[in-house]
Amino acid sequence: MDRKVRVRFAPSPTGPLHIGGVRTALYNYIFARKNGGEMILRIEDTDSRRFVPGAEDYINESLGWLGIQFDEGVREGGPHGPYRQSERRDIYRRYVKQLLDDGKAYIAFDTPEELEKAREEIPNFQYDASTRMKMRNSLTLGEEETRRLIDAGEQYVVRILIEPGRDVIVNDLIRGEVKINSSIIDDKVLYKSADDLPTYHLANIVDDHLMEVSHVIRGEEWLPSAPLHVLLYEALGWKDSMPEFVHLPLLLKPVGNGKLSKRDGDKLGFPVFPLEWHDPNSGEISSGYREKGYLPEAVVNFLALLGWNPGDDSELLSMQDLIEKFSFDHCSKSGAKFDYKKGIWFNHEYLMRMPDDKLADLFMPVLARKGVDGFDKEYVAHAVGMVKGRADFVDDLWTQADFFFKAPEEYAAKDVKKRWSADTPRIMGELIEVLEGIDDMTSANAEKIVLDWIASKGYHLGNVMNAFRLAVVGSCRGPHMFDITELMPREEVVARIRKAVERIPAPEN
Ligand code: GLU
């Protein structure tokens, strides 16, 4: 294959980009980068009734967040623009005319009522070779009458003329050869005079051709349209430069059967959109991966493995790794279950591997939200570094590390009961003296001194250490105690022990 790789992502701005669409964009991007090719963003906005304001910006912002970049598009510009289909009317008109002139398409005037009537009267009605001569179109009315109706202002559509009884072959790089008979394809509408715009099918083919697209990589739901597209390439005389087709496997429900839907996400508590979406019409808010605290790298990694595998057992793959390893040979034909828990796992892995200072940057806004300030970034970085192994999301860092930023207000009753005895206040008093006498609070050094003191007094190691922890953390959880006291200012540690002694009522012996 010596053709330059050019791919396109061609969303319709009809609402928020679904996570399946994000995966399609990702595979296009990875494939283009792998092959030193180019990637186009084309906005398919020919269906004005389904247009939703804000959807185009949402698409741009989502893909930008994930690091999916375009070489040509509405924002990037490029030699094949405009990249918004609603701005390409003149171009489409030219090809509608060509198809009509060549007898590959015809004009039809049937009203919705007439079509409804045909559906009632003719069993399994389909507008095709078996029925078209019973309908109101240029083939039955003749040229003159057709002209007259158009001049009189009657609205019409242009339909492709499908020849029945032919095998149509779609070569798909994942599915191989898909063969269907043209008799089952109807004379699809290619253009509507009412809004002077082509339908998806024609616009798609014209643009893919003019934009020199080499590979059409899209979701499996478009496979049924592919035979029609092959016939359109033929009708337009472009068969030799037809792109390769790649239909990606469906994303399936995490449990049960069928296609992943927004309802699955609502039910099980995971987002099906990359970013939070505020519906401009209903006001409804749908959750997004970004706002839920997912890292873009984790989302990319997770999505890439839904329907593709690297051929070995590696799982943690950066965008660069994906670009190196990707090929359609390892894409599956069958649908991929949307294992959202695996997405959480990926997030955890990426969070854990993130350098502490970067993680601190992400955590600072959480601190601000909690009304905490006055901590420098280095302190925050150390704190989150100690607890990141226990967090799936940035927000979880607060649950794990809150005590680094504020003294406990309460003490876990269960731990108090188990670890705070009548002797504890006295022992804590001694501990304060020991701590104040330490020159070097480095974890290992402080640990040795404190443990030696416990041993020399014959105290119960577990009880003393847990009471210590209870006073500083508020419960018996958290990282290594002496790592905590290495980071936290000694006065703060001491103040917390004093406060605990004051607050926790000593039990009767
Ligand atoms: N506009 C279509 C969509 O919304 C594009 C399908 C295709 O890639 O051909 O997905």
Side-chain angles (χ1 to χ4, degrees), residues 297-347:
E297 300 83 351
V299 176
V300 162
N301 196 155
F302 165 54
L303 289 181
L305 293 175
L306 291 173
W308 171 81
N309 69 77
D312 53 37
D313 54 12
S314 56
E315 282 195 296
L316 289 172
L317 300 163
S318 66
M319 189 73 98
Q320 202 47 47
D321 297 331
L322 295 170
I323 291 168
E324 271 157 35
K325 289 174 183 254
F326 191 78
S327 101
F328 292 123
D329 299 345
H330 286 280
C331 282
S332 67
K333 286 197 203 46
S334 48
K337 260 200 189 310
F338 195 79
D339 182 0
Y340 68 99
K341 288 191 179 144
K342 190 83 194 192
I344 298 174
W345 179 83
F346 273 112
N347 211 56

Side-chain angles (χ1 to χ4, degrees), residues 8 10-12 44 200 204 218 222:
R8 87 302 195 267
S12 301
E44 302 209 326
Y200 156 71
N204 198 260
R218 60 186 173 191
W222 301 100

Side-chain angles (χ1 to χ4, degrees), residues 1 42 81 121 172 183 344 353 360 373 427 429 506:
M1 181 185 45
R42 185 170 73 221
E121 284 169 4
D172 184 289
S183 301
I344 298 174
R353 282 167 176 73
D373 58 16
I427 297 174

